[in-house]
């Protein structure tokens, strides 16, 4: 039971970092990214590549942490010219391209077979690392969210044209946010790889993106505590349905689909009854702002 | 001097602007009038870089403003408000005022992480300036309300306040008085007089002929995308062509 709790907390922390990454992009800035799993996968495959090629762990971390912002810059590039809705599709496509590449090019990290990665044997240590990463990500997001930078990002979210007529280049700000949030997601991916010890392309599907979106939309995209809360709820549900599957002897496929259906229902209900999510964006009051 | 020279712009078949030239002088308010659909808002869009004209160019104090880049036009000192106010609606009135100012150091991640004291100092000064401007436009008591909660007239005032926070060289105002109660219009008129006295350039699109006559030094009349008359407000009132095309109803 203790082992399960440690594992659950570790996973919630890692996925919360992904949620925070989406909070920065979507909740603060209004960028719709349907390929959120991509930077996570890139980070994880940085670790996978290092492991498959006998490179030290630090090399994997470096690859993951450097490649994600670079790919972020590449993927955000078309957004300068496209309407936002199309960018959502670009990110969706980019995520799939990356996954299919990992699937079909075994030289990178084992292809469909996947690859084993050094697994952190001490599970408490793994949990502490995950919590530390979550703490750092939350502090950074909080610093941005409460700052003039966060303020102008919210203006872009509300009205990009307004931001431009105020002399800000929306594209430059979108790029900045993408680099920061993708780096966070990439680091979460690296840690994920070393927590589970095994990587295969099946772990980074559109379904994962759907999971993060459900968590963020449920908790409240514009609220930092909301994002962590949403992730905790969704991740606990996801993990416990696996238990239910084992215990009830229902076929695995069925419970997986039930889970997906439940999340879909949650999304619909949130959109209908609580469009800002469980926790709303805190109002920036003038006295609080002055500090 | 803000100059638009020979601007042409069409939406497909529709010629919204055909060879329009205007010149707005510092310390003067240039009125831009004309019936609905005559191209006034489109012209302001071109001046502010929001739309790229098919022909013609814009210069401010002799410098050419690159077309179609609103943030660059703003950085050159051209600011505008919109007919339907554009505001960050889920931000407070005060926050809207704060982003009206030129980008503070705290909008750079580098400064946030490594120059926190400079960020804080700048923010304090910015807050004071924004509150002072809110007092000037009479919205100080609503500083912490969401912009969305303001009345239509107050939203127009807020837009004007945001614009003033940026202290642009040229202010383009798109129907600031439309749908605004007389008390708030009087406040706008005071603000615009002060702006003129500071030697800035103002282009005022407005249907309220009293306000135009009261404020404008010169008036340009647009009709179907063309300039059909220009002169002092009194000359324009006396111009029969203008009366026929535009006023239809007597002014
Ligand atoms: N985005 C657009 N697409 C097509 N036609 C437009 C668009 N915006 C404006 N128009 C047309 O261009 C003409 C000029 O519009 P506008 O500049 O808004 O006039 P005004 O501000 O003087 O009322 C009108 O006939 C209007 O219908
Ligand atoms: Mg108009």
């Amino acid at each position: 039971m203790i082992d399960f709790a440690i594992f659950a907390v570790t996973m919630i922390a890692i996925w919360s970092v992904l949620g925070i990454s989406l909070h920065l992009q979507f909740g603060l800035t209004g960028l719709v990214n349907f390929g959120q799993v991509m930077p996570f996968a890139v980070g994880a495959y940085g670790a996978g590549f290092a492991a498959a090629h006998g490179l030290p762990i630090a090399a994997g971390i470096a690859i993951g942490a450097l490649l994600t912002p670079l790919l972020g810059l590449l993927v955000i590039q078309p957004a300068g010219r496209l309407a936002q809705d199309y960018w959502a599709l670009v990110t969706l496509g980019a995520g799939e391209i990356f996954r299919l590449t990992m699937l079909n090019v075994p030289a990178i990290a084992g292809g469909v077979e996947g690859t084993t990665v050094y697994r952190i044997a001490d599970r408490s240590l793994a949990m502490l690392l995950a919590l530390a990463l979550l703490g750092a990500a939350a502090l950074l997001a909080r610093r941005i969210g409460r700052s003039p930078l966060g303020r102008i990002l919210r203006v872009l979210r509300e009205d990009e044209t307004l931001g431009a007529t105020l002399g800000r280049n929306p594209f430059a700000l979108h790029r900045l946010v993408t680099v920061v949030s993708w780096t966070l997601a990439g680091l979460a991916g690296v840690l994920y790889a070393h927590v589970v010890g095994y990587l295969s392309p099946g772990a980074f599907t559109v379904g994962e993106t759907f999971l993060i979106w459900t968590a963020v939309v449920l908790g409240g995209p514009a609220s930092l505590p909301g994002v962590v809360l949403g992730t905790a709820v969704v991740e606990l549900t996801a993990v416990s349905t696996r238990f239910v599957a084992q215990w009830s002897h229902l076929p695995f496929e069925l419970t997986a689909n039930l889970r997906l259906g439940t999340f879909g229902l949650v999304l619909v209900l949130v959109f209908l009854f609580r469009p800002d999510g469980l926790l709303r964006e805190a109002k920036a009051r003038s006295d609080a702002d002055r500090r | 001097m803000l100059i638009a020279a020979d601007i042409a712009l069409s939406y497909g078949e529709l010629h919204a602007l055909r060879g329009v030239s205007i010149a707005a002088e510092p310390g003067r308010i240039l009125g831009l009038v004309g019936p609905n659909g005559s191209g006034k808002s489109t012209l302001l869009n071109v001046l502010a870089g929001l739309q790229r004209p098919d022909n013609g160019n814009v210069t401010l104090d002799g410098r050419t403003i690159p077309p179609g880049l609103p943030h660059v036009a703003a950085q050159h000192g051209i600011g505008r408000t919109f007919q339907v106010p554009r505001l960050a609606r889920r931000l407070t009135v005060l926050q809207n005022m704060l982003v009206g100012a030129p980008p503070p150091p705290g909008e750079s991640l580098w400064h946030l992480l490594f120059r926190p004291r400079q960020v804080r100092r700048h923010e304090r000064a910015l807050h004071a300036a924004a509150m002072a401007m809110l007092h000037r436009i009479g919205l100080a008591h609503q500083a912490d309300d969401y912009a969305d909660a303001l009345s239509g007239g107050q939203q127009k005032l807020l837009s004007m306040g945001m614009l003033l926070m940026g202290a642009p060289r040229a202010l383009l105002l798109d129907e600031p008085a439309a749908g605004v109660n007389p008390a708030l219009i009087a406040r706008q008129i005071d603000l615009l007089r002060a702006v003129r006295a500071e030697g800035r350039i103002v282009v005022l699109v407005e249907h309220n002929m009293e306000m135009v006559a009261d404020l404008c030094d010169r008036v340009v009349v647009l009709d179907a995308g063309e300039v059909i008359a220009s002169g002092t407000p009194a000359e324009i009132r006396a111009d029969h062509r203008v009366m026929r095309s535009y006023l239809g109803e007597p002014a």
Side-chain angles (χ1 to χ4, degrees):
Chain A
M1 194 58 212
I2 265 284
D3 286 348
F4 172 72
I6 287 178
F7 178 72
V9 169
T10 310
M11 281 302 158
I12 288 172
I14 289 178
W15 283 80
S16 290
V17 175
L18 273 185
I20 288 173
S21 163
L22 198 55
H23 159 73
L24 290 172
Q25 281 187 92
F26 174 65
L28 278 190
T29 316
L31 278 171
V32 175
N33 169 2
F34 285 154
Q36 178 64 7
V37 76
M38 180 179 171
F40 185 60
V42 172
Y45 268 93
F49 179 84
H53 292 80
L55 300 172
I57 292 171
I61 298 176
I63 294 171
L66 293 177
L67 201 56
T68 33
L70 287 180
L71 286 178
L73 284 176
L74 194 70
V75 171
I76 190 77
Q77 203 55 35
R81 273 168 283 122
L82 291 178
Q84 293 289 306
D85 319 356
Y86 290 109
W87 190 63
L89 293 180
V90 169
T91 55
L92 180 69
E96 277 298 280
I97 289 171
F98 183 78
R99 187 179 67 84
L100 291 171
T101 309
M102 294 307 112
L103 191 66
N104 293 303
V105 186
I108 299 173
V112 66
E113 308 275 290
T115 183
T116 52
V117 177
Y118 166 74
R119 179 171 176 275
I120 303 169
D122 182 345
R123 303 320 272 167
S124 308
L125 175 64
M127 179 180 75
L128 286 181
L129 286 174
L131 287 173
L133 181 61
L134 172 58
L139 278 180
L140 179 64
R142 197 176 98 123
R143 179 78 181 121
I144 291 175
R146 294 187 173 185
S147 73
L149 177 58
R151 193 166 63 212
I152 196 66
L153 294 178
R154 288 185 179 89
V155 170
L156 295 187
R157 175 190 75 193
E158 300 294 305
D159 188 338
E160 214 175 295
T161 301
L162 173 64
T165 56
L166 294 173
R168 273 67 160 200
N169 181 354
F171 187 47
L173 288 163
H174 285 164
R175 243 181 346 219
L176 173 67
V177 168
T178 302
V179 164
V180 172
S181 65
W182 280 44
T183 306
L184 289 179
L187 290 173
V190 174
L191 186 57
Y192 174 81
H194 289 298
V195 166
V196 296
Y198 168 74
L199 290 181
S200 79
F204 306 99
T205 63
V206 178
E208 269 55 52
T209 296
F210 181 63
L211 205 79
I212 310 162
W213 269 96
T214 307
V216 166
V217 169
L218 170 68
S223 155
L224 196 49
V227 164
V228 178
L229 173 68
T231 312
V233 171
V234 164
E235 192 57 27
L236 275 179
T237 316
V239 178
S240 51
T241 49
R242 246 163 259 151
F243 265 108
V244 171
Q246 281 172 12
W247 165 78
S248 66
H249 302 293
L250 286 173
F252 177 76
E253 290 277 296
L254 179 65
T255 46
N257 284 337
L258 275 179
R259 187 167 68 214
L260 218 55
T262 310
F263 290 152
L265 184 66
V266 166
L267 274 183
V268 171
L269 291 177
V270 171
F271 280 134
L272 283 179
F273 298 110
R274 194 95 191 165
D276 292 335
L278 293 175
L279 301 183
R280 303 226 160 101
E281 178 163 65
K283 197 183 208 181
R285 297 197 177 274
S286 48
D287 42 359
D289 248 24
R290 230 167 279 152
R291 254 164 301 170
Chain B
M1 188 103 121
L2 176 67
I3 297 176
D6 205 21
I7 304 289
L9 189 150
S10 46
Y11 299 107
E13 296 285 277
L14 181 91
H15 297 280
L17 298 171
R18 315 184 239 204
V20 172
S21 299
I22 63 165
E25 290 171 55
R28 296 275 181 276
I29 299 180
L30 177 69
L32 191 58
V33 304
N36 280 324
S38 57
K40 305 179 298 292
S41 296
T42 303
L43 182 57
L44 292 197
N45 281 344
V46 169
L47 289 169
L50 285 159
Q51 282 179 274
R52 191 187 283 269
D54 303 328
N55 186 43
N57 64 304
V58 176
T59 59
L60 177 63
D61 297 332
R63 281 183 304 171
T64 301
I65 307 297
L69 296 173
H71 62 281
V72 176
Q75 286 158 9
H76 276 79
I78 299 178
R80 78 161 290 185
T81 65
F82 294 83
Q83 202 169 329
V84 179
R86 282 185 184 269
L87 300 166
R89 294 179 179 277
R90 289 184 294 174
L91 265 55
T92 66
V93 168
L94 176 63
Q95 287 190 299
N96 274 275
M97 291 296 287
L98 293 171
V99 294
E107 283 183 21
S108 120
L109 189 59
W110 173 264
H111 281 80
L112 273 188
L113 297 180
F114 303 112
R115 299 276 180 278
R117 265 189 311 174
Q118 188 190 343
V119 168
R120 217 160 25 234
R121 201 174 334 118
H122 198 283
E123 273 299 284
R124 241 178 264 129
L126 190 55
H127 263 258
M131 281 313 297
M133 184 63 76
L134 278 176
H135 278 289
R136 234 179 112 190
I137 64 176
L139 291 179
H141 59 295
Q142 277 161 307
D144 279 346
D145 292 356
Y146 284 116
D148 208 21
L150 297 183
S151 72
Q154 290 173 323
Q155 291 186 1
K156 292 210 161 177
L157 262 178
L158 176 56
S159 300
M160 203 184 276
M162 289 168 72
L163 186 62
L164 293 173
M165 282 297 290
R169 173 87 178 123
L171 296 84
L172 318 176
L173 298 142
D174 203 345
E175 304 196 18
V180 177
N181 77 46
L184 294 188
I185 293 181
R187 213 180 277 165
Q188 293 179 338
I189 290 179
D190 287 345
L191 285 168
L192 290 179
R193 285 225 170 88
V195 166
R196 168 169 54 192
E198 290 165 7
R200 291 196 253 168
I201 299 165
V202 180
V203 178
L204 174 65
V205 170
E206 191 45 69
H207 283 300
N208 180 329
M209 286 316 267
E210 247 172 273
M211 186 175 184
V212 169
D214 207 15
L215 273 176
C216 294
D217 302 282
R218 287 180 59 79
V219 177
V220 169
V221 185
L222 275 185
D223 187 22
E226 285 179 303
V227 175
I228 58 163
S230 70
T232 64
E235 285 165 4
I236 294 300
R237 272 169 188 262
D239 188 320
H240 293 294
R241 266 183 320 153
V242 176
M243 287 307 193
R244 265 202 313 277
S245 95
Y246 171 38
L247 300 171
E249 357 99 62

